[in-house]
């Protein structure tokens, strides 16, 4: 058994040591914090990979993911083939007022459509604006850091290849639209 009051003396010693040290305060808006590489901020949606399998919505313990879709018939890829049906995403929304940032949705997505972004500055004055629709979730996708290469000789990540192809398609479509517009003016 120790001396009576020794715990109190140890506590006061810690307090005195802390009081004599200079405080370190980061001036947040002016100085951005150093975030860990795997910081969980907001979830980004890579819409091209989403097959509307609904796994993320079913596994979410908070039921904060809202997905709406419809079926479309796709013509056969080869002559004589049969038509296929596929799901088309109409709405994908995450209510960050309900989300507890557990990451289950990101982990269960079999098609790598959901990613963690380190962005954390998305506060709103109205709680109803914390429900981010797919357009806003797509914007967060551009803030997702590149995954580190597993090997120096590893191939480029498929997310970057798919994003580059989508950007090139959009650029080609824009160029074609501008060319048609110029032809129409001549």
């Amino acid at each position: 058994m120790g001396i009576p009051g020794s715990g109190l003396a140890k506590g006061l010693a810690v307090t005195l040591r802390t009081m004599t040290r200079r405080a370190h305060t980061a001036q947040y808006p002016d100085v951005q914090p150093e975030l860990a590489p795997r910081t969980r901020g907001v979830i980004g949606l890579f819409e091209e990979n989403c097959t509307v399998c609904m796994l993320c919505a079913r596994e979410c313990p908070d039921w904060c993911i809202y997905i709406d879709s419809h079926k479309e018939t796709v013509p056969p890829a080869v002559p004589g083939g049969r038509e296929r049906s596929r799901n088309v995403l109409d709405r994908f929304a995450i209510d960050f007022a309900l989300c507890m940032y557990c990451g289950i949705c990101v982990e269960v997505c079999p098609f790598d459509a959901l990613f963690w972004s380190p962005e954390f500055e998305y506060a709103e004055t109205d709680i109803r604006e914390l429900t981010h629709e797919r357009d806003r979730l797509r914007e967060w996708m551009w803030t997702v850091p590149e995954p580190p290469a597993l090997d120096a000789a590893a191939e480029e990540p498929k997310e970057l290849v798919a994003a580059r192809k989508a950007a090139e398609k959009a650029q080609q479509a824009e160029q074609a639209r501008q060319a048609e517009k110029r032809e129409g003016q001549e």
Side-chain angles (χ1 to χ4, degrees):
M1 189 154 208
I3 301 172
S6 64
L8 178 62
K10 287 180 185 177
L12 287 173
V14 170
T15 303
L16 287 173
R17 270 196 315 268
T18 305
M19 285 176 55
T20 59
R21 289 188 194 144
R22 188 164 177 89
H24 173 71
T25 303
Q27 302 298 325
Y28 165 63
D30 301 325
V31 179
Q32 291 294 318
E34 291 290 326
L35 299 174
R38 296 185 60 177
T39 301
R40 292 181 177 186
V42 71
I43 297 170
L45 171 68
F46 191 57
E47 193 174 333
E48 288 78 15
N49 286 357
C50 184
T51 61
V52 196
C53 66
M54 308 285 273
L55 275 174
C56 54
R58 279 184 283 173
E59 295 296 325
C60 179
D62 292 331
W63 293 85
C64 65
I65 300 175
Y66 310 110
I67 301 174
D68 291 329
S69 67
H70 69 277
K71 289 202 180 277
E72 267 185 9
T73 304
V74 179
V78 294
R82 66 183 176 117
E83 292 182 337
R84 307 259 179 192
S85 66
R86 68 178 177 121
N87 288 328
V88 177
L89 187 64
D90 292 329
R91 179 181 187 223
F92 193 105
I94 299 176
D95 187 351
F96 286 105
L98 296 176
C99 183
M100 66 178 178
Y101 304 91
C102 63
I104 292 174
C105 57
V106 176
E107 296 298 322
V108 300
C109 182
F111 301 103
D112 290 333
L114 297 174
F115 293 90
W116 281 113
S117 167
E119 294 294 320
F120 59 92
E121 296 175 325
Y122 55 95
E124 300 289 346
T125 56
D126 187 0
I127 196 168
R128 291 172 289 200
E129 293 175 12
L130 281 172
T131 301
H132 294 186
E133 296 293 332
R134 70 182 185 180
D135 295 334
R136 184 130 184 231
L137 294 172
R138 187 182 314 119
E139 290 173 18
W140 292 117
M141 192 59 207
W142 300 111
T143 63
V144 173
E146 271 184 41
L150 300 176
D151 186 348
E155 60 186 48
E156 189 175 31
K158 63 184 176 189
E159 294 86 8
L160 290 177
V161 173
R164 188 175 297 113
K165 285 182 182 177
E168 287 172 1
K169 267 188 195 175
Q171 185 180 16
Q172 289 173 354
E174 179 64 25
Q175 288 173 348
R177 190 178 62 77
Q178 288 178 355
E180 288 177 12
K181 187 177 176 183
R182 277 183 268 154
E183 288 175 7
Q185 291 175 351
E186 293 176 353

